[in-house]
Amino acid sequence: MSTAVADPLLYPADLSSQAPSRRRRRWEVWRSPDDQPAWARPLLLVTGAIAAALFAWNIADAGLAPFYSVAVKSMSESWKAFFYGAFDPKATITIDKLAGSFAPQALSARIFGFHAWSLALPQVIEGVLSVLLMYRMVRRWAGAVPGLLAALLFALTPIVASTMGHSMEDGALTFCLVLAADQWTRAVTDGRLRSLLWAGFWVGVGFQCKMLEAWMALPALGLAYLFCASGSWGRRVRDLALFGVVTLATSLSWILLYTFTPAADRPYVDGSTNNSAWSMVFGYNGLERFGITVPGAVDSGPGMGGGMGGRAGGASHQFPGAGMGGRAFGGGGMGHGGFGGQSGFGSGWTKLFGSEFGPQIGWLLPLVILTLICGVAWTWRSQRTDKVKTGFVFWGLWFLTFFAIYSDMSSIPHTAYVATLAPAIAALSAVGIVVFWRAYRAGGRRGWLLPAAVVLSLAWAVFLWNSYSGFLPWALWTAVGVGAVAVGIMIWARMSRKTALRIATAGLIAGTVAMLTPSATWAASVLDTSYAGSSFNAGAGPDSGMGGGMMRGSGKGGNMGEMAERFRMGGGFGGGMGGGMMGAAQSLTSSEKDLDNYVNAHRGNASYLMAVSSWSEASPYILSTGQEVLAMGGFSGSVPEPTLAKVRQLVKSGQLKFFLLNSTSSSGSSTSAGKSGSAMGGGGAQASMPGGAGGGGFMGRGNSAADKAIDSWVEKSCTAVPAKDYGGTASSASSASGSAMSGPGPSGTSSSGPSSSGTSSSSAGAQTGPGGMGTGMGSTSSEKLYECKS
């Protein structure tokens, strides 16, 4: 092994020999411990403060995520709903994730009340703690300077800056994995089995947040420990076996509890057709994402994020507007590739290099790759347990594993997924900068690596920024100009023996700043709500939020009528999709209030307020009142819950009295969920706007025999309530052509509300929501309220 890397370049020589300072009291948190430079702790606290400001700046306008924030409301109202991760307060059906996904948010809502900021607060805290942990574990590996750089780079990763400021469970997963990496580092450096077991525990907690995504860290944790930890081969195998037991037990605890709880005593498992948590976790949220069919799992395979070209026949998870405009929601939609899915560079195995994910996570990829190559080459012959080598092996495996899996996935449902790449990128980039800096100061051929890294990074930045040339172009070209001057100084200093050390140092600093400027610029853009992303799909920069600016320019909040009132984000986003359309409303519209008042006055002792056709119809009532609304069909609309037998039993026992159902008549192609005529989702579950045609929600109920049987029984056995009884008025419209994407305006409006005949109609032709996104051709959707006698 070359000692030029192991000692002078990675280990600060003065730390072990520095004189001990006055003993630090516990409460003096601003003072560095004796084994760290005096300036380390103050700078770390400054870095933490920067991260806190970045993550929390727009916390009041963080918004509520559709579907999941409703579940958080229910979990904050009912301990049973909290324990099982139920969508509704009565815990009839779960969300399509494990309960741990949103438990921190539900606890925060219980303590501080249900607000957008209280749901985002746990992620802010998790983000700041992750920044501090990045310093601690990278310092153990390479010293205080790389540790501080890693903490800063992690905070200034665009997807991290956005994710940690919104109520997305990816923040909790990233925090858990950083905790696991921190404990793993301690286990290797100190030879502590207890720390390794804690690492397994935190991976298991991460599994509760995002299931199999947490296990993506296991190859790095396991292989790096097996090959680099101290001790005999047998001891390392034994330690990993114990690590695996802890990881598995923690990961599967909720699934096993759910499995052994009688079905009658727990909610139905969403994401499954057989009421199985195994099918939901390992099928719907696991192998189905790679096109592998799992019995009992709702289809979520290729096409789930496929924009206009989703898989026919399955339950498409594409939301309105997804895949349109600049950012292709789901990693495989329209994006810059046009209708039917993105093709060429930036899709498939190159998706993380493309214009969708690259600006969120990939500004430093050239530096990371160069660092990995040099790190492996320079430590190849070193001892197996060498600390420097161990760090490169661990973070290299982390980076390559996550990168390969995300690249292989047919689609990445949310941009926030890639936040789990940020720890490896930050750690490797920080160490690379310090190593190359010291190599430059030491002289020799390795001294050219830092100028090369600056050139490659800025060339890559120009390539990535080219897709968004109108976004702060001065920042890019300032970075390029500073970088060019810095490289010139570094080359001149290497060629001239008379160059002053200060001039060379200035070039090194300028080059480093230039490399980091693009990522920092995009991360800092979250300070403006127009570029901050949303609680539905995190992302920083000009394409943040759903739809990537499809409706940009319409102004914050826009003119979206009742749809904006019913589905809005707190604060909005410069007229982008995230601002007016993809949020969840905490108050009822006037027509919903009338309906709610009528049903409450006539429900008697019924446990449920009413049953509705989809989760999106239940959302405003649960969010605003916390009442128990039975949403049929689950998230996808294709979950067989409730069954006709259960519906009849609930009515017979007096627990359920009212049904609000959608029905559709068509003059063209059908807009019913599950039909191939749907303009969104390619024939999967109906992707209509809430209150529009199809199932009355993003994922309206399917057109299965079970759905038809329930609707038919309600229509025959119950009485339709005239809309005039609950103050409704309505108009009905139908379009012959039903353009799927027309602009906002008169042709894009829809009217919904109870009609005098007892129906509430809305046009699904020109569009069923703002922005002209239709769901069919010439069809009319009706809402009917039915009252059933026990």
PDB file of all heavy atoms in Angstrom, residues 284 298-305 311-318 635-639 674 681 683-686 699-700:
ATOM      1  N   TYR A 284     -46.376  -6.372  -3.656  1.00  0.00           N
ATOM      2  CA  TYR A 284     -46.818  -5.052  -4.101  1.00  0.00           C
ATOM      3  C   TYR A 284     -45.731  -3.990  -3.976  1.00  0.00           C
ATOM      4  O   TYR A 284     -45.518  -3.181  -4.884  1.00  0.00           O
ATOM      5  CB  TYR A 284     -48.053  -4.668  -3.289  1.00  0.00           C
ATOM      6  CG  TYR A 284     -48.564  -3.275  -3.480  1.00  0.00           C
ATOM      7  CD1 TYR A 284     -49.332  -2.932  -4.584  1.00  0.00           C
ATOM      8  CD2 TYR A 284     -48.296  -2.287  -2.534  1.00  0.00           C
ATOM      9  CE1 TYR A 284     -49.826  -1.640  -4.742  1.00  0.00           C
ATOM     10  CE2 TYR A 284     -48.779  -1.004  -2.674  1.00  0.00           C
ATOM     11  CZ  TYR A 284     -49.535  -0.682  -3.784  1.00  0.00           C
ATOM     12  OH  TYR A 284     -50.004   0.597  -3.935  1.00  0.00           O
ATOM     13  N   VAL A 298     -51.408  -6.796  -5.199  1.00  0.00           N
ATOM     14  CA  VAL A 298     -51.958  -5.918  -6.225  1.00  0.00           C
ATOM     15  C   VAL A 298     -50.853  -5.557  -7.204  1.00  0.00           C
ATOM     16  O   VAL A 298     -49.704  -5.328  -6.809  1.00  0.00           O
ATOM     17  CB  VAL A 298     -52.545  -4.639  -5.584  1.00  0.00           C
ATOM     18  CG1 VAL A 298     -52.948  -3.629  -6.644  1.00  0.00           C
ATOM     19  CG2 VAL A 298     -53.742  -4.989  -4.719  1.00  0.00           C
ATOM     20  N   ASP A 299     -51.160  -5.535  -8.468  1.00  0.00           N
ATOM     21  CA  ASP A 299     -50.163  -5.266  -9.499  1.00  0.00           C
ATOM     22  C   ASP A 299     -49.577  -3.874  -9.328  1.00  0.00           C
ATOM     23  O   ASP A 299     -50.282  -2.879  -9.313  1.00  0.00           O
ATOM     24  CB  ASP A 299     -50.814  -5.387 -10.882  1.00  0.00           C
ATOM     25  CG  ASP A 299     -49.864  -5.065 -12.013  1.00  0.00           C
ATOM     26  OD1 ASP A 299     -48.643  -5.101 -11.786  1.00  0.00           O
ATOM     27  OD2 ASP A 299     -50.349  -4.781 -13.119  1.00  0.00           O
ATOM     28  N   SER A 300     -48.252  -3.805  -9.155  1.00  0.00           N
ATOM     29  CA  SER A 300     -47.567  -2.502  -9.123  1.00  0.00           C
ATOM     30  C   SER A 300     -46.275  -2.600  -9.905  1.00  0.00           C
ATOM     31  O   SER A 300     -45.300  -1.934  -9.603  1.00  0.00           O
ATOM     32  CB  SER A 300     -47.256  -2.082  -7.689  1.00  0.00           C
ATOM     33  OG  SER A 300     -46.322  -2.969  -7.093  1.00  0.00           O
ATOM     34  N   GLY A 301     -46.267  -3.453 -10.916  1.00  0.00           N
ATOM     35  CA  GLY A 301     -45.058  -3.710 -11.673  1.00  0.00           C
ATOM     36  C   GLY A 301     -44.762  -2.643 -12.692  1.00  0.00           C
ATOM     37  O   GLY A 301     -45.219  -1.510 -12.581  1.00  0.00           O
ATOM     38  N   PRO A 302     -43.980  -2.956 -13.733  1.00  0.00           N
ATOM     39  CA  PRO A 302     -43.618  -1.983 -14.758  1.00  0.00           C
ATOM     40  C   PRO A 302     -44.850  -1.294 -15.298  1.00  0.00           C
ATOM     41  O   PRO A 302     -45.851  -1.928 -15.608  1.00  0.00           O
ATOM     42  CB  PRO A 302     -42.937  -2.852 -15.828  1.00  0.00           C
ATOM     43  CG  PRO A 302     -42.414  -4.021 -15.068  1.00  0.00           C
ATOM     44  CD  PRO A 302     -43.424  -4.286 -13.997  1.00  0.00           C
ATOM     45  N   GLY A 303     -44.773   0.019 -15.392  1.00  0.00           N
ATOM     46  CA  GLY A 303     -45.907   0.805 -15.860  1.00  0.00           C
ATOM     47  C   GLY A 303     -46.594   1.549 -14.743  1.00  0.00           C
ATOM     48  O   GLY A 303     -47.377   2.425 -14.979  1.00  0.00           O
ATOM     49  N   MET A 304     -46.277   1.181 -13.492  1.00  0.00           N
ATOM     50  CA  MET A 304     -46.922   1.872 -12.381  1.00  0.00           C
ATOM     51  C   MET A 304     -46.587   3.350 -12.389  1.00  0.00           C
ATOM     52  O   MET A 304     -47.353   4.169 -11.920  1.00  0.00           O
ATOM     53  CB  MET A 304     -46.539   1.251 -11.050  1.00  0.00           C
ATOM     54  CG  MET A 304     -45.096   1.383 -10.697  1.00  0.00           C
ATOM     55  SD  MET A 304     -44.792   1.110  -8.955  1.00  0.00           S
ATOM     56  CE  MET A 304     -45.484   2.568  -8.249  1.00  0.00           C
ATOM     57  N   GLY A 305     -45.438   3.688 -12.938  1.00  0.00           N
ATOM     58  CA  GLY A 305     -45.084   5.093 -13.040  1.00  0.00           C
ATOM     59  C   GLY A 305     -44.918   5.475 -14.482  1.00  0.00           C
ATOM     60  O   GLY A 305     -44.146   6.333 -14.821  1.00  0.00           O
ATOM     61  N   ARG A 311     -49.272   0.177 -17.861  1.00  0.00           N
ATOM     62  CA  ARG A 311     -49.672  -1.180 -18.222  1.00  0.00           C
ATOM     63  C   ARG A 311     -51.180  -1.299 -18.210  1.00  0.00           C
ATOM     64  O   ARG A 311     -51.857  -0.949 -17.278  1.00  0.00           O
ATOM     65  CB  ARG A 311     -49.077  -2.177 -17.224  1.00  0.00           C
ATOM     66  CG  ARG A 311     -49.596  -3.576 -17.432  1.00  0.00           C
ATOM     67  CD  ARG A 311     -49.112  -4.482 -16.332  1.00  0.00           C
ATOM     68  NE  ARG A 311     -47.695  -4.707 -16.412  1.00  0.00           N
ATOM     69  CZ  ARG A 311     -47.050  -5.464 -15.542  1.00  0.00           C
ATOM     70  NH1 ARG A 311     -47.693  -6.023 -14.547  1.00  0.00           N
ATOM     71  NH2 ARG A 311     -45.762  -5.644 -15.666  1.00  0.00           N
ATOM     72  N   ALA A 312     -51.720  -1.820 -19.264  1.00  0.00           N
ATOM     73  CA  ALA A 312     -53.156  -2.010 -19.341  1.00  0.00           C
ATOM     74  C   ALA A 312     -53.563  -3.152 -18.439  1.00  0.00           C
ATOM     75  O   ALA A 312     -52.885  -4.141 -18.299  1.00  0.00           O
ATOM     76  CB  ALA A 312     -53.578  -2.307 -20.774  1.00  0.00           C
ATOM     77  N   GLY A 313     -54.708  -3.000 -17.838  1.00  0.00           N
ATOM     78  CA  GLY A 313     -55.276  -4.070 -17.057  1.00  0.00           C
ATOM     79  C   GLY A 313     -54.875  -4.081 -15.609  1.00  0.00           C
ATOM     80  O   GLY A 313     -55.525  -4.704 -14.801  1.00  0.00           O
ATOM     81  N   GLY A 314     -53.806  -3.426 -15.241  1.00  0.00           N
ATOM     82  CA  GLY A 314     -53.345  -3.438 -13.851  1.00  0.00           C
ATOM     83  C   GLY A 314     -53.762  -2.180 -13.150  1.00  0.00           C
ATOM     84  O   GLY A 314     -54.335  -1.272 -13.713  1.00  0.00           O
ATOM     85  N   ALA A 315     -53.450  -2.112 -11.915  1.00  0.00           N
ATOM     86  CA  ALA A 315     -53.770  -0.938 -11.123  1.00  0.00           C
ATOM     87  C   ALA A 315     -52.651   0.064 -11.267  1.00  0.00           C
ATOM     88  O   ALA A 315     -51.619  -0.025 -10.642  1.00  0.00           O
ATOM     89  CB  ALA A 315     -53.958  -1.315  -9.659  1.00  0.00           C
ATOM     90  N   SER A 316     -52.816   1.020 -12.124  1.00  0.00           N
ATOM     91  CA  SER A 316     -51.746   1.997 -12.333  1.00  0.00           C
ATOM     92  C   SER A 316     -51.664   2.937 -11.152  1.00  0.00           C
ATOM     93  O   SER A 316     -52.657   3.405 -10.660  1.00  0.00           O
ATOM     94  CB  SER A 316     -52.018   2.799 -13.602  1.00  0.00           C
ATOM     95  OG  SER A 316     -51.103   3.839 -13.726  1.00  0.00           O
ATOM     96  N   HIS A 317     -50.445   3.242 -10.739  1.00  0.00           N
ATOM     97  CA  HIS A 317     -50.255   4.148  -9.613  1.00  0.00           C
ATOM     98  C   HIS A 317     -49.882   5.532 -10.100  1.00  0.00           C
ATOM     99  O   HIS A 317     -49.311   6.303  -9.381  1.00  0.00           O
ATOM    100  CB  HIS A 317     -49.161   3.610  -8.678  1.00  0.00           C
ATOM    101  CG  HIS A 317     -49.601   2.402  -7.969  1.00  0.00           C
ATOM    102  ND1 HIS A 317     -49.383   2.195  -6.638  1.00  0.00           N
ATOM    103  CD2 HIS A 317     -50.285   1.313  -8.402  1.00  0.00           C
ATOM    104  CE1 HIS A 317     -49.880   1.040  -6.266  1.00  0.00           C
ATOM    105  NE2 HIS A 317     -50.426   0.483  -7.321  1.00  0.00           N
ATOM    106  N   GLN A 318     -50.171   5.812 -11.330  1.00  0.00           N
ATOM    107  CA  GLN A 318     -49.846   7.118 -11.872  1.00  0.00           C
ATOM    108  C   GLN A 318     -50.902   8.121 -11.459  1.00  0.00           C
ATOM    109  O   GLN A 318     -52.090   7.847 -11.549  1.00  0.00           O
ATOM    110  CB  GLN A 318     -49.797   7.030 -13.404  1.00  0.00           C
ATOM    111  CG  GLN A 318     -49.326   8.294 -14.067  1.00  0.00           C
ATOM    112  CD  GLN A 318     -47.857   8.501 -13.820  1.00  0.00           C
ATOM    113  OE1 GLN A 318     -47.176   7.608 -13.382  1.00  0.00           O
ATOM    114  NE2 GLN A 318     -47.388   9.674 -14.086  1.00  0.00           N
ATOM    115  N   PHE A 635     -56.077   1.878  -1.896  1.00  0.00           N
ATOM    116  CA  PHE A 635     -55.385   2.923  -2.653  1.00  0.00           C
ATOM    117  C   PHE A 635     -55.537   2.737  -4.150  1.00  0.00           C
ATOM    118  O   PHE A 635     -55.802   3.671  -4.892  1.00  0.00           O
ATOM    119  CB  PHE A 635     -53.909   2.914  -2.278  1.00  0.00           C
ATOM    120  CG  PHE A 635     -53.077   3.870  -3.091  1.00  0.00           C
ATOM    121  CD1 PHE A 635     -53.177   5.232  -2.877  1.00  0.00           C
ATOM    122  CD2 PHE A 635     -52.216   3.417  -4.072  1.00  0.00           C
ATOM    123  CE1 PHE A 635     -52.429   6.125  -3.627  1.00  0.00           C
ATOM    124  CE2 PHE A 635     -51.464   4.298  -4.830  1.00  0.00           C
ATOM    125  CZ  PHE A 635     -51.567   5.655  -4.603  1.00  0.00           C
ATOM    126  N   SER A 636     -55.368   1.516  -4.627  1.00  0.00           N
ATOM    127  CA  SER A 636     -55.402   1.262  -6.066  1.00  0.00           C
ATOM    128  C   SER A 636     -56.803   1.184  -6.614  1.00  0.00           C
ATOM    129  O   SER A 636     -57.011   1.258  -7.830  1.00  0.00           O
ATOM    130  CB  SER A 636     -54.675  -0.054  -6.371  1.00  0.00           C
ATOM    131  OG  SER A 636     -55.378  -1.146  -5.801  1.00  0.00           O
ATOM    132  N   GLY A 637     -57.793   0.995  -5.742  1.00  0.00           N
ATOM    133  CA  GLY A 637     -59.156   0.805  -6.206  1.00  0.00           C
ATOM    134  C   GLY A 637     -59.474  -0.633  -6.552  1.00  0.00           C
ATOM    135  O   GLY A 637     -60.616  -0.951  -6.860  1.00  0.00           O
ATOM    136  N   SER A 638     -58.489  -1.507  -6.491  1.00  0.00           N
ATOM    137  CA  SER A 638     -58.690  -2.895  -6.894  1.00  0.00           C
ATOM    138  C   SER A 638     -58.575  -3.873  -5.737  1.00  0.00           C
ATOM    139  O   SER A 638     -58.487  -5.077  -5.944  1.00  0.00           O
ATOM    140  CB  SER A 638     -57.664  -3.262  -7.980  1.00  0.00           C
ATOM    141  OG  SER A 638     -56.347  -3.061  -7.522  1.00  0.00           O
ATOM    142  N   VAL A 639     -58.548  -3.366  -4.516  1.00  0.00           N
ATOM    143  CA  VAL A 639     -58.468  -4.229  -3.344  1.00  0.00           C
ATOM    144  C   VAL A 639     -59.882  -4.682  -2.969  1.00  0.00           C
ATOM    145  O   VAL A 639     -60.784  -3.848  -2.846  1.00  0.00           O
ATOM    146  CB  VAL A 639     -57.811  -3.481  -2.161  1.00  0.00           C
ATOM    147  CG1 VAL A 639     -57.879  -4.298  -0.892  1.00  0.00           C
ATOM    148  CG2 VAL A 639     -56.374  -3.135  -2.503  1.00  0.00           C
ATOM    149  N   GLY A 674     -60.396   0.725 -14.457  1.00  0.00           N
ATOM    150  CA  GLY A 674     -60.077  -0.594 -14.963  1.00  0.00           C
ATOM    151  C   GLY A 674     -60.313  -0.726 -16.442  1.00  0.00           C
ATOM    152  O   GLY A 674     -59.993  -1.749 -17.037  1.00  0.00           O
ATOM    153  N   GLY A 681     -52.872   6.370 -16.873  1.00  0.00           N
ATOM    154  CA  GLY A 681     -52.641   5.071 -16.291  1.00  0.00           C
ATOM    155  C   GLY A 681     -52.760   3.933 -17.261  1.00  0.00           C
ATOM    156  O   GLY A 681     -52.592   2.775 -16.912  1.00  0.00           O
ATOM    157  N   GLY A 683     -55.121   2.250 -18.664  1.00  0.00           N
ATOM    158  CA  GLY A 683     -56.045   1.175 -18.472  1.00  0.00           C
ATOM    159  C   GLY A 683     -55.990   0.544 -17.111  1.00  0.00           C
ATOM    160  O   GLY A 683     -56.648  -0.434 -16.866  1.00  0.00           O
ATOM    161  N   GLY A 684     -55.220   1.086 -16.236  1.00  0.00           N
ATOM    162  CA  GLY A 684     -55.204   0.571 -14.879  1.00  0.00           C
ATOM    163  C   GLY A 684     -56.344   1.170 -14.105  1.00  0.00           C
ATOM    164  O   GLY A 684     -57.383   1.518 -14.633  1.00  0.00           O
ATOM    165  N   ALA A 685     -56.159   1.307 -12.831  1.00  0.00           N
ATOM    166  CA  ALA A 685     -57.181   1.931 -12.023  1.00  0.00           C
ATOM    167  C   ALA A 685     -57.366   3.349 -12.489  1.00  0.00           C
ATOM    168  O   ALA A 685     -56.446   4.040 -12.867  1.00  0.00           O
ATOM    169  CB  ALA A 685     -56.785   1.906 -10.552  1.00  0.00           C
ATOM    170  N   GLN A 686     -58.631   3.794 -12.461  1.00  0.00           N
ATOM    171  CA  GLN A 686     -58.945   5.106 -13.010  1.00  0.00           C
ATOM    172  C   GLN A 686     -58.139   6.203 -12.364  1.00  0.00           C
ATOM    173  O   GLN A 686     -58.062   6.315 -11.154  1.00  0.00           O
ATOM    174  CB  GLN A 686     -60.441   5.405 -12.812  1.00  0.00           C
ATOM    175  CG  GLN A 686     -60.856   6.780 -13.283  1.00  0.00           C
ATOM    176  CD  GLN A 686     -60.685   6.926 -14.770  1.00  0.00           C
ATOM    177  OE1 GLN A 686     -60.751   5.939 -15.486  1.00  0.00           O
ATOM    178  NE2 GLN A 686     -60.468   8.117 -15.245  1.00  0.00           N
ATOM    179  N   MET A 699     -57.538   7.023  -7.724  1.00  0.00           N
ATOM    180  CA  MET A 699     -57.560   5.593  -7.942  1.00  0.00           C
ATOM    181  C   MET A 699     -58.972   5.100  -7.687  1.00  0.00           C
ATOM    182  O   MET A 699     -59.248   4.444  -6.697  1.00  0.00           O
ATOM    183  CB  MET A 699     -56.581   4.883  -7.006  1.00  0.00           C
ATOM    184  CG  MET A 699     -55.164   5.341  -7.198  1.00  0.00           C
ATOM    185  SD  MET A 699     -54.554   4.909  -8.821  1.00  0.00           S
ATOM    186  CE  MET A 699     -53.167   6.034  -8.924  1.00  0.00           C
ATOM    187  N   GLY A 700     -59.887   5.428  -8.570  1.00  0.00           N
ATOM    188  CA  GLY A 700     -61.263   5.023  -8.387  1.00  0.00           C
ATOM    189  C   GLY A 700     -61.400   3.517  -8.394  1.00  0.00           C
ATOM    190  O   GLY A 700     -60.544   2.791  -8.849  1.00  0.00           O
TER     191      GLY A 700
END
